Amino acid sequence: MQFFAPTHVYLENDCVRSHKEELLSFGGRAFIVTGKHSSRSNGSLADVLAVLEEDGVPYLIYDEIEENPSVETVAAATEKGREFQADFVIGIGGGSPLDAAKAIALLLANPQEDASCLYEPKKLSALPVVAVPTTCGTGSEVTPNAVLTRHAFKTKKSISYNIYPKLALVDGKYLASASGRLLIHTAVDALAHCVESRLHVKANVYNHMFSEYGLALWHKIIPALTRIADHPETAPKELLTDADYETLMLASTVAGMAIAQTTTSLPHALSYEITYNHGIPHGKACGIFLAAYMDEYAKNQPEDVDRVLSLLGFRSTEEFGAFLRHLLGTVAVPAADIALYADNIMANASKLATYPFPIDRDAIAGILAQSLETE
């Protein structure tokens, strides 16, 4: 067994300002990586800029990070950061800006390399990364992973380097302006992290501390997420409390700590296919496969699946799956895609290796067929 968690994490109100000195300790020229809108609307960017400006720290904002950021976007951002001579990176936003920030920090620290190095087995280090998450799903603030879209291969894949943020500043108030769909999708991503980490070939007593605590936290937020699903026309801030937002953020960070010990498993691998090819948001794409994945897992080790269900408060995978469909809706794909995606997963040796038991193509196709509707 092993355990490693190097990121210094603060989860509290106004933590960006409260831990200003630590944030500023990582360098003297900050490259801020974020998206177009959300970090401005939720106040996170303003909080970071206030800290930098108070101490006269030069900064450059790159706000062109798209959902499911591509290698090409990371390369373009890196050129801007190099021109600015940044010596540390601040990622603000959901998983897309945070993952992009890690990859950019790697390229900035290695000016002799281009973006092709991201998927090569080299010994490279990165500039320091500070993570300010503003969604409740990715856990990227405490994981070493950076998943990018590889258009050349029509999929998403984590880069070949482990880059943990040095500092994570997690504040539930940044969720208050999020839409209901975003809260549900990102929260379900955190759920998938907990389930996949608990039902994983690398699962052990250390990992269980995080995955099981994350599942217990997720049980607490089911009423809040159900209220959002039941009242789609109502702004979430009218349905949720500050405590709900804090629990959502805590569950996300704890779930990130879980997958930092194990990685994700087959539901995430399957999700990349329908996200890339059908534009399904990442958390929804992961969540629709969870019940079928658990059914397949239970054929070998039902007691572990029962443990997951018990922590979440469900009596069966059928009940769990129905709940997820209520939150997420369904996903339909052409019938021919089932066979294609099954073939693609069978060719993904690294993801197959995360599953603790032998699994064949028919079983993968069965998970796909059980989870997806066909057009």
PDB file of all heavy atoms in Angstrom, residues 135-138 175 180-194 214 218 221-222 224-225 228 244 247-249 251-252 255 282-284 286-287 290 312 324 327-328:
ATOM      1  N   THR A 135     -16.078  24.701  -9.347  1.00  0.00           N
ATOM      2  CA  THR A 135     -17.148  23.719  -9.533  1.00  0.00           C
ATOM      3  C   THR A 135     -16.922  22.581  -8.549  1.00  0.00           C
ATOM      4  O   THR A 135     -15.864  22.478  -7.928  1.00  0.00           O
ATOM      5  CB  THR A 135     -17.190  23.154 -10.965  1.00  0.00           C
ATOM      6  OG1 THR A 135     -15.970  22.431 -11.223  1.00  0.00           O
ATOM      7  CG2 THR A 135     -17.352  24.264 -11.989  1.00  0.00           C
ATOM      8  N   CYS A 136     -17.936  21.719  -8.415  1.00  0.00           N
ATOM      9  CA  CYS A 136     -17.898  20.722  -7.339  1.00  0.00           C
ATOM     10  C   CYS A 136     -17.777  19.311  -7.892  1.00  0.00           C
ATOM     11  O   CYS A 136     -18.466  18.405  -7.444  1.00  0.00           O
ATOM     12  CB  CYS A 136     -19.141  20.837  -6.469  1.00  0.00           C
ATOM     13  SG  CYS A 136     -20.703  20.777  -7.394  1.00  0.00           S
ATOM     14  N   GLY A 137     -16.871  19.115  -8.869  1.00  0.00           N
ATOM     15  CA  GLY A 137     -16.790  17.788  -9.440  1.00  0.00           C
ATOM     16  C   GLY A 137     -15.417  17.259  -9.733  1.00  0.00           C
ATOM     17  O   GLY A 137     -15.093  16.118  -9.442  1.00  0.00           O
ATOM     18  N   THR A 138     -14.562  18.069 -10.310  1.00  0.00           N
ATOM     19  CA  THR A 138     -13.335  17.526 -10.883  1.00  0.00           C
ATOM     20  C   THR A 138     -12.343  17.002  -9.849  1.00  0.00           C
ATOM     21  O   THR A 138     -11.678  16.013 -10.071  1.00  0.00           O
ATOM     22  CB  THR A 138     -12.657  18.588 -11.765  1.00  0.00           C
ATOM     23  OG1 THR A 138     -11.419  18.080 -12.221  1.00  0.00           O
ATOM     24  CG2 THR A 138     -12.382  19.852 -10.977  1.00  0.00           C
ATOM     25  N   LEU A 175     -19.743  28.570  -5.804  1.00  0.00           N
ATOM     26  CA  LEU A 175     -20.790  27.767  -6.431  1.00  0.00           C
ATOM     27  C   LEU A 175     -22.111  28.508  -6.535  1.00  0.00           C
ATOM     28  O   LEU A 175     -23.007  28.075  -7.262  1.00  0.00           O
ATOM     29  CB  LEU A 175     -21.013  26.473  -5.640  1.00  0.00           C
ATOM     30  CG  LEU A 175     -19.867  25.463  -5.568  1.00  0.00           C
ATOM     31  CD1 LEU A 175     -20.280  24.276  -4.708  1.00  0.00           C
ATOM     32  CD2 LEU A 175     -19.468  25.001  -6.956  1.00  0.00           C
ATOM     33  N   GLY A 180     -28.093  25.072 -12.286  1.00  0.00           N
ATOM     34  CA  GLY A 180     -28.475  23.779 -11.739  1.00  0.00           C
ATOM     35  C   GLY A 180     -27.847  22.625 -12.482  1.00  0.00           C
ATOM     36  O   GLY A 180     -27.377  21.651 -11.885  1.00  0.00           O
ATOM     37  N   ARG A 181     -27.841  22.715 -13.816  1.00  0.00           N
ATOM     38  CA  ARG A 181     -27.238  21.639 -14.618  1.00  0.00           C
ATOM     39  C   ARG A 181     -25.759  21.479 -14.294  1.00  0.00           C
ATOM     40  O   ARG A 181     -25.252  20.359 -14.177  1.00  0.00           O
ATOM     41  CB  ARG A 181     -27.402  21.941 -16.111  1.00  0.00           C
ATOM     42  CG  ARG A 181     -28.772  21.726 -16.682  1.00  0.00           C
ATOM     43  CD  ARG A 181     -29.172  20.246 -16.681  1.00  0.00           C
ATOM     44  NE  ARG A 181     -29.996  19.919 -15.522  1.00  0.00           N
ATOM     45  CZ  ARG A 181     -30.312  18.701 -15.160  1.00  0.00           C
ATOM     46  NH1 ARG A 181     -29.887  17.665 -15.865  1.00  0.00           N
ATOM     47  NH2 ARG A 181     -31.044  18.466 -14.100  1.00  0.00           N
ATOM     48  N   LEU A 182     -25.046  22.598 -14.158  1.00  0.00           N
ATOM     49  CA  LEU A 182     -23.618  22.512 -13.845  1.00  0.00           C
ATOM     50  C   LEU A 182     -23.390  21.879 -12.487  1.00  0.00           C
ATOM     51  O   LEU A 182     -22.507  21.022 -12.332  1.00  0.00           O
ATOM     52  CB  LEU A 182     -22.984  23.908 -13.888  1.00  0.00           C
ATOM     53  CG  LEU A 182     -21.478  23.945 -13.566  1.00  0.00           C
ATOM     54  CD1 LEU A 182     -20.683  23.182 -14.620  1.00  0.00           C
ATOM     55  CD2 LEU A 182     -20.983  25.391 -13.472  1.00  0.00           C
ATOM     56  N   LEU A 183     -24.176  22.267 -11.499  1.00  0.00           N
ATOM     57  CA  LEU A 183     -24.022  21.676 -10.167  1.00  0.00           C
ATOM     58  C   LEU A 183     -24.276  20.175 -10.210  1.00  0.00           C
ATOM     59  O   LEU A 183     -23.526  19.385  -9.614  1.00  0.00           O
ATOM     60  CB  LEU A 183     -24.966  22.359  -9.177  1.00  0.00           C
ATOM     61  CG  LEU A 183     -24.613  23.792  -8.782  1.00  0.00           C
ATOM     62  CD1 LEU A 183     -25.726  24.388  -7.935  1.00  0.00           C
ATOM     63  CD2 LEU A 183     -23.288  23.857  -8.037  1.00  0.00           C
ATOM     64  N   ILE A 184     -25.329  19.758 -10.899  1.00  0.00           N
ATOM     65  CA  ILE A 184     -25.631  18.332 -10.971  1.00  0.00           C
ATOM     66  C   ILE A 184     -24.534  17.578 -11.707  1.00  0.00           C
ATOM     67  O   ILE A 184     -24.028  16.556 -11.223  1.00  0.00           O
ATOM     68  CB  ILE A 184     -27.003  18.105 -11.642  1.00  0.00           C
ATOM     69  CG1 ILE A 184     -28.125  18.498 -10.676  1.00  0.00           C
ATOM     70  CG2 ILE A 184     -27.169  16.644 -12.074  1.00  0.00           C
ATOM     71  CD1 ILE A 184     -29.512  18.440 -11.289  1.00  0.00           C
ATOM     72  N   HIS A 185     -24.146  18.070 -12.865  1.00  0.00           N
ATOM     73  CA  HIS A 185     -23.153  17.345 -13.659  1.00  0.00           C
ATOM     74  C   HIS A 185     -21.816  17.241 -12.941  1.00  0.00           C
ATOM     75  O   HIS A 185     -21.175  16.177 -12.950  1.00  0.00           O
ATOM     76  CB  HIS A 185     -22.965  18.029 -15.012  1.00  0.00           C
ATOM     77  CG  HIS A 185     -24.147  17.907 -15.911  1.00  0.00           C
ATOM     78  ND1 HIS A 185     -24.330  18.698 -17.025  1.00  0.00           N
ATOM     79  CD2 HIS A 185     -25.235  17.086 -15.861  1.00  0.00           C
ATOM     80  CE1 HIS A 185     -25.462  18.376 -17.622  1.00  0.00           C
ATOM     81  NE2 HIS A 185     -26.029  17.401 -16.935  1.00  0.00           N
ATOM     82  N   THR A 186     -21.385  18.328 -12.318  1.00  0.00           N
ATOM     83  CA  THR A 186     -20.080  18.257 -11.644  1.00  0.00           C
ATOM     84  C   THR A 186     -20.151  17.429 -10.362  1.00  0.00           C
ATOM     85  O   THR A 186     -19.221  16.691 -10.045  1.00  0.00           O
ATOM     86  CB  THR A 186     -19.536  19.665 -11.361  1.00  0.00           C
ATOM     87  OG1 THR A 186     -20.495  20.430 -10.619  1.00  0.00           O
ATOM     88  CG2 THR A 186     -19.223  20.393 -12.657  1.00  0.00           C
ATOM     89  N   ALA A 187     -21.267  17.521  -9.651  1.00  0.00           N
ATOM     90  CA  ALA A 187     -21.413  16.682  -8.456  1.00  0.00           C
ATOM     91  C   ALA A 187     -21.415  15.205  -8.818  1.00  0.00           C
ATOM     92  O   ALA A 187     -20.847  14.368  -8.098  1.00  0.00           O
ATOM     93  CB  ALA A 187     -22.690  17.047  -7.699  1.00  0.00           C
ATOM     94  N   VAL A 188     -22.037  14.855  -9.936  1.00  0.00           N
ATOM     95  CA  VAL A 188     -22.048  13.456 -10.370  1.00  0.00           C
ATOM     96  C   VAL A 188     -20.651  13.021 -10.797  1.00  0.00           C
ATOM     97  O   VAL A 188     -20.272  11.856 -10.618  1.00  0.00           O
ATOM     98  CB  VAL A 188     -23.085  13.242 -11.482  1.00  0.00           C
ATOM     99  CG1 VAL A 188     -22.943  11.858 -12.117  1.00  0.00           C
ATOM    100  CG2 VAL A 188     -24.500  13.398 -10.913  1.00  0.00           C
ATOM    101  N   ASP A 189     -19.861  13.915 -11.340  1.00  0.00           N
ATOM    102  CA  ASP A 189     -18.461  13.587 -11.624  1.00  0.00           C
ATOM    103  C   ASP A 189     -17.745  13.193 -10.336  1.00  0.00           C
ATOM    104  O   ASP A 189     -16.997  12.197 -10.293  1.00  0.00           O
ATOM    105  CB  ASP A 189     -17.780  14.793 -12.278  1.00  0.00           C
ATOM    106  CG  ASP A 189     -16.374  14.479 -12.783  1.00  0.00           C
ATOM    107  OD1 ASP A 189     -16.054  13.288 -12.979  1.00  0.00           O
ATOM    108  OD2 ASP A 189     -15.605  15.434 -12.993  1.00  0.00           O
ATOM    109  N   ALA A 190     -17.954  13.963  -9.260  1.00  0.00           N
ATOM    110  CA  ALA A 190     -17.356  13.613  -7.968  1.00  0.00           C
ATOM    111  C   ALA A 190     -17.859  12.257  -7.479  1.00  0.00           C
ATOM    112  O   ALA A 190     -17.094  11.451  -6.923  1.00  0.00           O
ATOM    113  CB  ALA A 190     -17.661  14.695  -6.937  1.00  0.00           C
ATOM    114  N   LEU A 191     -19.146  11.990  -7.674  1.00  0.00           N
ATOM    115  CA  LEU A 191     -19.697  10.677  -7.316  1.00  0.00           C
ATOM    116  C   LEU A 191     -18.973   9.570  -8.085  1.00  0.00           C
ATOM    117  O   LEU A 191     -18.600   8.540  -7.506  1.00  0.00           O
ATOM    118  CB  LEU A 191     -21.189  10.647  -7.628  1.00  0.00           C
ATOM    119  CG  LEU A 191     -21.884   9.296  -7.531  1.00  0.00           C
ATOM    120  CD1 LEU A 191     -21.847   8.761  -6.108  1.00  0.00           C
ATOM    121  CD2 LEU A 191     -23.335   9.397  -8.032  1.00  0.00           C
ATOM    122  N   ALA A 192     -18.784   9.778  -9.381  1.00  0.00           N
ATOM    123  CA  ALA A 192     -18.087   8.771 -10.183  1.00  0.00           C
ATOM    124  C   ALA A 192     -16.667   8.547  -9.661  1.00  0.00           C
ATOM    125  O   ALA A 192     -16.183   7.407  -9.623  1.00  0.00           O
ATOM    126  CB  ALA A 192     -18.048   9.199 -11.652  1.00  0.00           C
ATOM    127  N   HIS A 193     -15.999   9.612  -9.244  1.00  0.00           N
ATOM    128  CA  HIS A 193     -14.655   9.456  -8.684  1.00  0.00           C
ATOM    129  C   HIS A 193     -14.681   8.548  -7.454  1.00  0.00           C
ATOM    130  O   HIS A 193     -13.826   7.668  -7.300  1.00  0.00           O
ATOM    131  CB  HIS A 193     -14.083  10.818  -8.305  1.00  0.00           C
ATOM    132  CG  HIS A 193     -13.793  11.696  -9.476  1.00  0.00           C
ATOM    133  ND1 HIS A 193     -13.610  13.056  -9.361  1.00  0.00           N
ATOM    134  CD2 HIS A 193     -13.661  11.421 -10.802  1.00  0.00           C
ATOM    135  CE1 HIS A 193     -13.370  13.565 -10.557  1.00  0.00           C
ATOM    136  NE2 HIS A 193     -13.408  12.593 -11.440  1.00  0.00           N
ATOM    137  N   CYS A 194     -15.658   8.774  -6.585  1.00  0.00           N
ATOM    138  CA  CYS A 194     -15.742   7.950  -5.364  1.00  0.00           C
ATOM    139  C   CYS A 194     -16.048   6.492  -5.686  1.00  0.00           C
ATOM    140  O   CYS A 194     -15.436   5.576  -5.131  1.00  0.00           O
ATOM    141  CB  CYS A 194     -16.813   8.512  -4.439  1.00  0.00           C
ATOM    142  SG  CYS A 194     -16.400  10.091  -3.693  1.00  0.00           S
ATOM    143  N   GLY A 214     -16.155  10.247   0.948  1.00  0.00           N
ATOM    144  CA  GLY A 214     -16.768  10.985  -0.149  1.00  0.00           C
ATOM    145  C   GLY A 214     -18.164  10.486  -0.463  1.00  0.00           C
ATOM    146  O   GLY A 214     -19.081  11.277  -0.724  1.00  0.00           O
ATOM    147  N   TRP A 218     -21.626  12.493  -0.186  1.00  0.00           N
ATOM    148  CA  TRP A 218     -22.529  12.578  -1.336  1.00  0.00           C
ATOM    149  C   TRP A 218     -23.954  12.211  -0.912  1.00  0.00           C
ATOM    150  O   TRP A 218     -24.919  12.808  -1.400  1.00  0.00           O
ATOM    151  CB  TRP A 218     -22.037  11.665  -2.455  1.00  0.00           C
ATOM    152  CG  TRP A 218     -22.232  12.281  -3.800  1.00  0.00           C
ATOM    153  CD1 TRP A 218     -21.363  13.072  -4.491  1.00  0.00           C
ATOM    154  CD2 TRP A 218     -23.408  12.171  -4.613  1.00  0.00           C
ATOM    155  NE1 TRP A 218     -21.922  13.459  -5.679  1.00  0.00           N
ATOM    156  CE2 TRP A 218     -23.169  12.930  -5.783  1.00  0.00           C
ATOM    157  CE3 TRP A 218     -24.624  11.523  -4.476  1.00  0.00           C
ATOM    158  CZ2 TRP A 218     -24.098  13.046  -6.802  1.00  0.00           C
ATOM    159  CZ3 TRP A 218     -25.566  11.641  -5.487  1.00  0.00           C
ATOM    160  CH2 TRP A 218     -25.303  12.395  -6.642  1.00  0.00           C
ATOM    161  N   ILE A 221     -25.815  15.218   0.202  1.00  0.00           N
ATOM    162  CA  ILE A 221     -26.220  16.248  -0.764  1.00  0.00           C
ATOM    163  C   ILE A 221     -27.281  15.756  -1.739  1.00  0.00           C
ATOM    164  O   ILE A 221     -27.742  16.514  -2.592  1.00  0.00           O
ATOM    165  CB  ILE A 221     -25.011  16.805  -1.547  1.00  0.00           C
ATOM    166  CG1 ILE A 221     -24.333  15.699  -2.361  1.00  0.00           C
ATOM    167  CG2 ILE A 221     -24.042  17.484  -0.612  1.00  0.00           C
ATOM    168  CD1 ILE A 221     -23.215  16.206  -3.241  1.00  0.00           C
ATOM    169  N   ILE A 222     -27.711  14.502  -1.600  1.00  0.00           N
ATOM    170  CA  ILE A 222     -28.767  13.990  -2.479  1.00  0.00           C
ATOM    171  C   ILE A 222     -30.034  14.846  -2.390  1.00  0.00           C
ATOM    172  O   ILE A 222     -30.625  15.190  -3.429  1.00  0.00           O
ATOM    173  CB  ILE A 222     -29.055  12.503  -2.173  1.00  0.00           C
ATOM    174  CG1 ILE A 222     -27.920  11.636  -2.730  1.00  0.00           C
ATOM    175  CG2 ILE A 222     -30.399  12.074  -2.756  1.00  0.00           C
ATOM    176  CD1 ILE A 222     -28.034  10.163  -2.394  1.00  0.00           C
ATOM    177  N   ALA A 224     -30.342  18.024  -1.794  1.00  0.00           N
ATOM    178  CA  ALA A 224     -30.098  19.297  -2.474  1.00  0.00           C
ATOM    179  C   ALA A 224     -30.121  19.112  -3.988  1.00  0.00           C
ATOM    180  O   ALA A 224     -30.736  19.903  -4.720  1.00  0.00           O
ATOM    181  CB  ALA A 224     -28.753  19.875  -2.035  1.00  0.00           C
ATOM    182  N   LEU A 225     -29.472  18.058  -4.478  1.00  0.00           N
ATOM    183  CA  LEU A 225     -29.452  17.810  -5.921  1.00  0.00           C
ATOM    184  C   LEU A 225     -30.840  17.434  -6.432  1.00  0.00           C
ATOM    185  O   LEU A 225     -31.226  17.815  -7.552  1.00  0.00           O
ATOM    186  CB  LEU A 225     -28.448  16.707  -6.242  1.00  0.00           C
ATOM    187  CG  LEU A 225     -26.985  17.037  -5.928  1.00  0.00           C
ATOM    188  CD1 LEU A 225     -26.104  15.828  -6.177  1.00  0.00           C
ATOM    189  CD2 LEU A 225     -26.499  18.232  -6.746  1.00  0.00           C
ATOM    190  N   ILE A 228     -32.870  20.529  -6.986  1.00  0.00           N
ATOM    191  CA  ILE A 228     -32.501  21.192  -8.245  1.00  0.00           C
ATOM    192  C   ILE A 228     -33.168  20.489  -9.424  1.00  0.00           C
ATOM    193  O   ILE A 228     -33.728  21.127 -10.320  1.00  0.00           O
ATOM    194  CB  ILE A 228     -30.973  21.201  -8.414  1.00  0.00           C
ATOM    195  CG1 ILE A 228     -30.315  22.070  -7.340  1.00  0.00           C
ATOM    196  CG2 ILE A 228     -30.588  21.708  -9.801  1.00  0.00           C
ATOM    197  CD1 ILE A 228     -28.802  21.990  -7.330  1.00  0.00           C
ATOM    198  N   ASP A 244     -24.955  23.620   2.079  1.00  0.00           N
ATOM    199  CA  ASP A 244     -25.017  22.729   0.919  1.00  0.00           C
ATOM    200  C   ASP A 244     -23.827  22.969  -0.002  1.00  0.00           C
ATOM    201  O   ASP A 244     -23.183  22.030  -0.474  1.00  0.00           O
ATOM    202  CB  ASP A 244     -26.312  22.960   0.128  1.00  0.00           C
ATOM    203  CG  ASP A 244     -27.554  22.478   0.856  1.00  0.00           C
ATOM    204  OD1 ASP A 244     -27.461  21.491   1.600  1.00  0.00           O
ATOM    205  OD2 ASP A 244     -28.620  23.103   0.657  1.00  0.00           O
ATOM    206  N   THR A 247     -20.679  21.548   1.491  1.00  0.00           N
ATOM    207  CA  THR A 247     -20.645  20.086   1.417  1.00  0.00           C
ATOM    208  C   THR A 247     -20.355  19.622  -0.005  1.00  0.00           C
ATOM    209  O   THR A 247     -19.602  18.660  -0.221  1.00  0.00           O
ATOM    210  CB  THR A 247     -21.969  19.482   1.916  1.00  0.00           C
ATOM    211  OG1 THR A 247     -22.209  19.922   3.257  1.00  0.00           O
ATOM    212  CG2 THR A 247     -21.908  17.956   1.911  1.00  0.00           C
ATOM    213  N   LEU A 248     -20.937  20.289  -0.988  1.00  0.00           N
ATOM    214  CA  LEU A 248     -20.646  19.957  -2.381  1.00  0.00           C
ATOM    215  C   LEU A 248     -19.159  20.108  -2.682  1.00  0.00           C
ATOM    216  O   LEU A 248     -18.540  19.243  -3.320  1.00  0.00           O
ATOM    217  CB  LEU A 248     -21.465  20.849  -3.315  1.00  0.00           C
ATOM    218  CG  LEU A 248     -22.941  20.490  -3.479  1.00  0.00           C
ATOM    219  CD1 LEU A 248     -23.715  21.679  -4.046  1.00  0.00           C
ATOM    220  CD2 LEU A 248     -23.102  19.270  -4.377  1.00  0.00           C
ATOM    221  N   MET A 249     -18.557  21.197  -2.243  1.00  0.00           N
ATOM    222  CA  MET A 249     -17.132  21.415  -2.470  1.00  0.00           C
ATOM    223  C   MET A 249     -16.285  20.396  -1.715  1.00  0.00           C
ATOM    224  O   MET A 249     -15.301  19.865  -2.254  1.00  0.00           O
ATOM    225  CB  MET A 249     -16.738  22.824  -2.039  1.00  0.00           C
ATOM    226  CG  MET A 249     -16.971  23.887  -3.089  1.00  0.00           C
ATOM    227  SD  MET A 249     -15.965  23.635  -4.569  1.00  0.00           S
ATOM    228  CE  MET A 249     -15.855  25.301  -5.200  1.00  0.00           C
ATOM    229  N   ALA A 251     -17.144  17.362  -0.775  1.00  0.00           N
ATOM    230  CA  ALA A 251     -17.279  16.056  -1.424  1.00  0.00           C
ATOM    231  C   ALA A 251     -16.411  15.980  -2.668  1.00  0.00           C
ATOM    232  O   ALA A 251     -15.770  14.955  -2.945  1.00  0.00           O
ATOM    233  CB  ALA A 251     -18.742  15.793  -1.783  1.00  0.00           C
ATOM    234  N   SER A 252     -16.360  17.065  -3.426  1.00  0.00           N
ATOM    235  CA  SER A 252     -15.552  17.082  -4.648  1.00  0.00           C
ATOM    236  C   SER A 252     -14.072  16.941  -4.339  1.00  0.00           C
ATOM    237  O   SER A 252     -13.358  16.169  -4.988  1.00  0.00           O
ATOM    238  CB  SER A 252     -15.810  18.381  -5.412  1.00  0.00           C
ATOM    239  OG  SER A 252     -14.970  18.484  -6.533  1.00  0.00           O
ATOM    240  N   ALA A 255     -13.306  13.453  -3.062  1.00  0.00           N
ATOM    241  CA  ALA A 255     -13.336  12.519  -4.190  1.00  0.00           C
ATOM    242  C   ALA A 255     -12.066  12.637  -5.032  1.00  0.00           C
ATOM    243  O   ALA A 255     -11.538  11.633  -5.529  1.00  0.00           O
ATOM    244  CB  ALA A 255     -14.564  12.777  -5.053  1.00  0.00           C
ATOM    245  N   HIS A 282     -19.109  16.176 -19.256  1.00  0.00           N
ATOM    246  CA  HIS A 282     -18.274  15.117 -18.676  1.00  0.00           C
ATOM    247  C   HIS A 282     -18.941  14.404 -17.505  1.00  0.00           C
ATOM    248  O   HIS A 282     -18.963  13.171 -17.448  1.00  0.00           O
ATOM    249  CB  HIS A 282     -16.934  15.714 -18.234  1.00  0.00           C
ATOM    250  CG  HIS A 282     -16.071  14.752 -17.485  1.00  0.00           C
ATOM    251  ND1 HIS A 282     -15.522  13.633 -18.077  1.00  0.00           N
ATOM    252  CD2 HIS A 282     -15.687  14.725 -16.189  1.00  0.00           C
ATOM    253  CE1 HIS A 282     -14.819  12.963 -17.182  1.00  0.00           C
ATOM    254  NE2 HIS A 282     -14.902  13.604 -16.029  1.00  0.00           N
ATOM    255  N   GLY A 283     -19.469  15.146 -16.538  1.00  0.00           N
ATOM    256  CA  GLY A 283     -20.050  14.500 -15.365  1.00  0.00           C
ATOM    257  C   GLY A 283     -21.245  13.632 -15.718  1.00  0.00           C
ATOM    258  O   GLY A 283     -21.393  12.516 -15.199  1.00  0.00           O
ATOM    259  N   LYS A 284     -22.095  14.135 -16.611  1.00  0.00           N
ATOM    260  CA  LYS A 284     -23.230  13.330 -17.070  1.00  0.00           C
ATOM    261  C   LYS A 284     -22.738  12.088 -17.789  1.00  0.00           C
ATOM    262  O   LYS A 284     -23.272  10.982 -17.589  1.00  0.00           O
ATOM    263  CB  LYS A 284     -24.111  14.164 -17.997  1.00  0.00           C
ATOM    264  CG  LYS A 284     -25.300  13.403 -18.576  1.00  0.00           C
ATOM    265  CD  LYS A 284     -26.205  14.307 -19.400  1.00  0.00           C
ATOM    266  CE  LYS A 284     -27.384  13.546 -19.969  1.00  0.00           C
ATOM    267  NZ  LYS A 284     -28.351  14.417 -20.683  1.00  0.00           N
ATOM    268  N   CYS A 286     -20.034  10.431 -17.369  1.00  0.00           N
ATOM    269  CA  CYS A 286     -19.543   9.431 -16.409  1.00  0.00           C
ATOM    270  C   CYS A 286     -20.698   8.783 -15.651  1.00  0.00           C
ATOM    271  O   CYS A 286     -20.741   7.555 -15.474  1.00  0.00           O
ATOM    272  CB  CYS A 286     -18.594  10.085 -15.406  1.00  0.00           C
ATOM    273  SG  CYS A 286     -17.043  10.688 -16.100  1.00  0.00           S
ATOM    274  N   GLY A 287     -21.627   9.626 -15.204  1.00  0.00           N
ATOM    275  CA  GLY A 287     -22.687   9.140 -14.333  1.00  0.00           C
ATOM    276  C   GLY A 287     -23.597   8.115 -14.965  1.00  0.00           C
ATOM    277  O   GLY A 287     -24.084   7.198 -14.291  1.00  0.00           O
ATOM    278  N   LEU A 290     -22.482   4.430 -14.326  1.00  0.00           N
ATOM    279  CA  LEU A 290     -22.124   3.935 -12.997  1.00  0.00           C
ATOM    280  C   LEU A 290     -22.924   2.705 -12.583  1.00  0.00           C
ATOM    281  O   LEU A 290     -22.367   1.731 -12.061  1.00  0.00           O
ATOM    282  CB  LEU A 290     -22.297   5.042 -11.955  1.00  0.00           C
ATOM    283  CG  LEU A 290     -21.280   6.178 -12.013  1.00  0.00           C
ATOM    284  CD1 LEU A 290     -21.601   7.219 -10.940  1.00  0.00           C
ATOM    285  CD2 LEU A 290     -19.860   5.646 -11.834  1.00  0.00           C
ATOM    286  N   LEU A 312     -24.374   5.328   0.092  1.00  0.00           N
ATOM    287  CA  LEU A 312     -25.183   6.290  -0.648  1.00  0.00           C
ATOM    288  C   LEU A 312     -26.661   6.263  -0.247  1.00  0.00           C
ATOM    289  O   LEU A 312     -27.414   7.172  -0.586  1.00  0.00           O
ATOM    290  CB  LEU A 312     -25.071   6.027  -2.152  1.00  0.00           C
ATOM    291  CG  LEU A 312     -23.723   6.363  -2.794  1.00  0.00           C
ATOM    292  CD1 LEU A 312     -23.681   5.839  -4.224  1.00  0.00           C
ATOM    293  CD2 LEU A 312     -23.472   7.873  -2.765  1.00  0.00           C
ATOM    294  N   LEU A 324     -30.098   8.309 -10.837  1.00  0.00           N
ATOM    295  CA  LEU A 324     -29.197   9.022 -11.738  1.00  0.00           C
ATOM    296  C   LEU A 324     -29.912   9.464 -13.015  1.00  0.00           C
ATOM    297  O   LEU A 324     -29.667  10.567 -13.524  1.00  0.00           O
ATOM    298  CB  LEU A 324     -27.991   8.150 -12.073  1.00  0.00           C
ATOM    299  CG  LEU A 324     -26.984   7.943 -10.930  1.00  0.00           C
ATOM    300  CD1 LEU A 324     -25.902   6.957 -11.342  1.00  0.00           C
ATOM    301  CD2 LEU A 324     -26.355   9.269 -10.515  1.00  0.00           C
ATOM    302  N   LEU A 327     -31.732  12.609 -12.272  1.00  0.00           N
ATOM    303  CA  LEU A 327     -30.854  13.776 -12.238  1.00  0.00           C
ATOM    304  C   LEU A 327     -30.359  14.158 -13.624  1.00  0.00           C
ATOM    305  O   LEU A 327     -30.304  15.343 -13.969  1.00  0.00           O
ATOM    306  CB  LEU A 327     -29.629  13.505 -11.351  1.00  0.00           C
ATOM    307  CG  LEU A 327     -29.783  13.452  -9.844  1.00  0.00           C
ATOM    308  CD1 LEU A 327     -28.401  13.373  -9.201  1.00  0.00           C
ATOM    309  CD2 LEU A 327     -30.535  14.652  -9.299  1.00  0.00           C
ATOM    310  N   LEU A 328     -29.967  13.159 -14.413  1.00  0.00           N
ATOM    311  CA  LEU A 328     -29.182  13.394 -15.623  1.00  0.00           C
ATOM    312  C   LEU A 328     -29.971  13.306 -16.921  1.00  0.00           C
ATOM    313  O   LEU A 328     -29.535  13.841 -17.945  1.00  0.00           O
ATOM    314  CB  LEU A 328     -28.030  12.381 -15.697  1.00  0.00           C
ATOM    315  CG  LEU A 328     -27.041  12.387 -14.542  1.00  0.00           C
ATOM    316  CD1 LEU A 328     -26.101  11.192 -14.652  1.00  0.00           C
ATOM    317  CD2 LEU A 328     -26.248  13.686 -14.493  1.00  0.00           C
TER     318      LEU A 328
END
